[in-house]
Amino acid sequence: MKTNLLKRVAVAGVFAVAVSGAFATHAQTLQKRTATTKPGFVRGATVFICNNEENCQVESNSHLCRVGGSDTGTQLWGKDDQNRCVQTLYRIMP
């Protein structure tokens, strides 16, 4: 009887540790999902003329970053290493 009780307590303990580990892993994943923001620029007559507008998200999603956060405004671009407005940016999603 004592052996049976010990087995049940051991199983419950292992289950509790597994559930705790799952919650901890999920919380870490949610923290990593924080978007990387970058200033978005309206591209001028050339890729070197950039006017600062608003922050955008680097990670890809289904909405391009546009002036005013709309779906139809002027597209905003991120600057590359040569200071050209050529990097596609995305709308910051909540």
Side-chain angles (χ1 to χ4, degrees):
M1 190 68 174
K2 288 183 181 180
T3 307
N4 196 14
L5 179 62
L6 182 61
K7 287 180 183 178
R8 288 184 183 187
V9 169
V11 169
V14 169
F15 182 74
V17 168
V19 170
S20 299
F23 279 113
T25 303
H26 182 66
Q28 288 175 349
T29 302
L30 290 177
Q31 288 176 349
K32 290 179 184 177
R33 289 186 187 168
T34 303
T36 306
T37 59
K38 189 172 187 176
F41 299 88
V42 173
R43 192 160 47 189
T46 70
V47 294
F48 291 103
I49 300 172
C50 304
N51 301 309
N52 194 3
E53 279 294 324
E54 56 194 72
N55 281 333
C56 300
Q57 175 176 312
V58 175
E59 292 81 20
S60 177
N61 64 46
S62 60
H63 299 282
L64 291 174
C65 191
R66 297 183 180 274
V67 173
S70 70
D71 289 330
T72 58
T74 304
Q75 184 174 351
L76 299 174
W77 300 86
K79 290 185 178 182
D80 66 2
D81 294 337
Q82 286 87 35
N83 221 23
R84 300 175 299 166
C85 290
V86 293
Q87 181 183 14
T88 303
L89 296 176
Y90 301 90
R91 185 185 316 160
I92 297 175
M93 302 305 285

